[in-house]
Amino acid sequence: MTHASVESPLSTRDVILDSAQDFIQSFGYVGFSYRDVAAAIGIRAPTIHYYFPTKADLGRAVAERYGARFRAVRDEACAAASPTKALEIYAQLFRESLANRDRVCLFGMLMAGGKGAPDGVQEAAIAFFDENIDWLAARFDEARAARDADLGSVPPRHAAKMFFAGLEGAMVVANASRRLADFDDAAGALLGMWKRAPL
Amino acid sequence: MTHASVESPLSTRDVILDSAQDFIQSFGYVGFSYRDVAAAIGIRAPTIHYYFPTKADLGRAVAERYGARFRAVRDEACAAASPTKALEIYAQLFRESLANRDRVCLFGMLMAGGKGAPDGVQEAAIAFFDENIDWLAARFDEARAARDADLGSVPPRHAAKMFFAGLEGAMVVANASRRLADFDDAAGALLGMWKRAPL
DNA sequence: GTCTATAAGATGATAGAC
DNA sequence: GTCTATCATCTTATAGAC
């Protein structure tokens, strides 16, 4: 074991990605420039072109890393949890991003800038959305099978789409209002609805 | 009665607002320019400055008009409807914007571009979100009082925040995936959850 | 790898003719 | 009211020195 990810200082490439992600989550893809990133991390703009020839390349790299990281964090955080507990932890992951860093889901931000996002990013966003909805649908399915959730006539996959869309929307609303309670109330309702009739 | 709104051709000001709204809903506030709008409607860019001295003025005017229009359309469409039917119609309003014009909620778009939006727009967005959540909370409250909805232990206002956030998020997801079913499934679950146990 | 210098074009905005 | 002409600034991106 090399401990590379623990010991090695952040490479220039990683620092660029960190800063670019930060800017995209704050101002969107069209709302930041190479100069912004360069100034933020103390290098010159053309240096970024060495790592990411075009802005689209940078956008795609940020999106790719974010998707992989979110998936890893989610799977690790929910590994030992029951289906219903996993849903709570999942909502908590979004809440922490909002509460600790004032940041909204990267793909929510990227897709709200819709037709302005570079080629490849929309496909990555769809993949991210689909993978998360698949994952959530599996949890709803397990919860229902274990009689931990009463979805009534709502298919688990539809509940998953509702849950995911609800969290994405709640992040946008709460980020605008600057009231974390707006997120908590919506997430609480999302989690409280189907456990209304505990068995 | 003058029929002014029916007879008069669209003023330059209105045409500018229409086009600007279109661009904002497609590319976000930072994603369009005066030249884009001018080219789209067949005038020259400086003409826009005559009506809206700065881009921030234009952004604020689009936001203001959108909020007032949405409220009027909503109130008219739901005037004669039962509380639960009103919620269905409300969801339908968002669906139509997505299905007919490929457009997402203006304020969702504006706030996703977060810190890039001009002064005044964030306040307008919060007001829009709050007013809609108030309106939805009143419908959930009426529906519960009429025993048309079983919210369990979820407060009507929390259900309203969930419902609104769910629709906003579903628009973003469905707009990205270009699958209207993603919106319909989420909206269906949002509408189907609390009517699970019809009385 | 990171820099300076710079190109080529877009941007918000203004001045002033008509 | 709408135009042409123009400005200062910012944008992405490249060439080439170190």
Side-chain angles (χ1 to χ4, degrees):
Chain A
M1 185 145 177
T2 61
H3 298 288
S5 65
V6 176
E7 301 294 343
S8 67
L10 287 174
S11 67
T12 299
R13 196 190 132 93
D14 289 333
V15 175
I16 292 169
L17 284 172
D18 287 344
S19 179
Q21 178 177 326
D22 229 56
F23 273 109
I24 294 174
Q25 285 181 295
S26 292
F27 303 97
Y29 177 76
V30 281
F32 83 101
S33 71
Y34 271 41
R35 276 177 162 80
D36 292 331
V37 172
I41 63 179
I43 62 171
R44 300 303 191 143
T47 302
I48 303 176
H49 285 285
Y50 173 80
Y51 296 96
F52 307 98
T54 71
K55 194 183 176 185
D57 292 323
L58 177 54
R60 278 187 288 267
V62 169
E64 193 177 338
R65 194 187 65 162
Y66 180 90
R69 276 187 177 179
F70 183 85
R71 186 173 174 161
V73 167
R74 178 200 68 193
D75 289 347
E76 211 239 307
C78 298
S82 71
T84 53
K85 184 66 185 170
L87 292 171
E88 279 175 46
I89 295 171
Y90 185 90
Q92 199 66 16
L93 290 179
F94 280 159
R95 185 191 197 275
E96 275 161 23
S97 166
L98 205 56
N100 301 340
R101 302 195 314 126
D102 253 40
R103 296 287 182 268
V104 125
C105 171
L106 179 94
F107 283 107
M109 204 67 174
L110 242 18
M111 290 330 288
K115 293 149 184 140
D119 283 352
V121 165
Q122 179 163 351
E123 291 76 2
I126 298 172
F128 178 81
F129 295 159
D130 285 348
E131 199 274 337
N132 274 275
I133 287 165
D134 286 345
W135 186 90
L136 289 167
R139 300 293 85 71
F140 275 109
D141 213 36
E142 291 166 6
R144 196 181 56 165
R147 301 197 182 281
D148 270 345
D150 176 12
L151 302 181
S153 61
V154 175
R157 191 170 177 78
H158 292 199
K161 287 186 182 181
M162 172 191 74
F163 194 80
F164 183 75
L167 293 180
E168 287 283 337
M171 292 190 93
V172 171
V173 172
N175 189 242
S177 72
R178 320 239 359 116
R179 293 179 307 236
L180 201 54
D182 283 346
F183 180 86
D184 290 335
D185 292 347
L190 245 10
L191 285 163
M193 232 38 180
W194 43 267
K195 62 163 75 153
R196 179 176 44 156
L199 303 180
Chain B
M1 187 148 174
T2 61
H3 297 287
S5 65
V6 177
E7 298 295 343
S8 67
L10 287 173
S11 68
T12 299
R13 197 191 131 93
D14 289 332
V15 175
I16 292 169
L17 284 172
D18 287 344
S19 179
Q21 178 178 327
D22 229 56
F23 273 110
I24 294 173
Q25 285 181 296
S26 293
F27 303 98
Y29 176 76
V30 282
F32 83 101
S33 71
Y34 271 42
R35 281 173 170 78
D36 291 331
V37 171
I41 63 179
I43 61 172
R44 300 302 192 146
T47 302
I48 304 176
H49 285 285
Y50 173 79
Y51 295 97
F52 307 98
T54 72
K55 193 183 177 185
D57 293 322
L58 177 55
R60 277 187 289 267
V62 169
E64 193 176 339
R65 194 187 65 161
Y66 181 90
R69 276 187 178 180
F70 183 84
R71 188 172 171 162
V73 168
R74 178 200 67 194
D75 289 347
E76 211 240 307
C78 299
S82 72
T84 52
K85 184 66 184 170
L87 292 172
E88 279 175 46
I89 296 171
Y90 185 90
Q92 200 66 15
L93 290 179
F94 280 159
R95 186 191 197 275
E96 275 160 23
S97 165
L98 204 56
N100 302 339
R101 302 194 314 123
D102 252 40
R103 296 288 180 268
V104 126
C105 172
L106 178 93
F107 283 107
M109 204 68 172
L110 242 17
M111 291 330 287
K115 292 146 185 143
D119 283 351
V121 165
Q122 180 163 351
E123 292 76 1
I126 299 172
F128 178 82
F129 294 159
D130 285 348
E131 200 274 336
N132 274 275
I133 287 165
D134 286 345
W135 186 89
L136 289 167
R139 300 294 84 73
F140 275 110
D141 213 35
E142 291 167 5
R144 195 180 57 165
R147 301 197 183 282
D148 268 345
D150 175 13
L151 302 180
S153 62
V154 175
R157 190 169 179 77
H158 292 199
K161 287 185 183 182
M162 171 191 74
F163 194 79
F164 183 75
L167 294 180
E168 286 284 338
M171 292 188 93
V172 172
V173 172
N175 189 242
S177 73
R178 320 246 354 121
R179 292 179 307 236
L180 202 53
D182 283 347
F183 180 87
D184 290 334
D185 293 346
L190 244 11
L191 285 162
M193 232 39 180
W194 43 268
K195 63 163 74 156
R196 181 176 43 156
L199 301 182

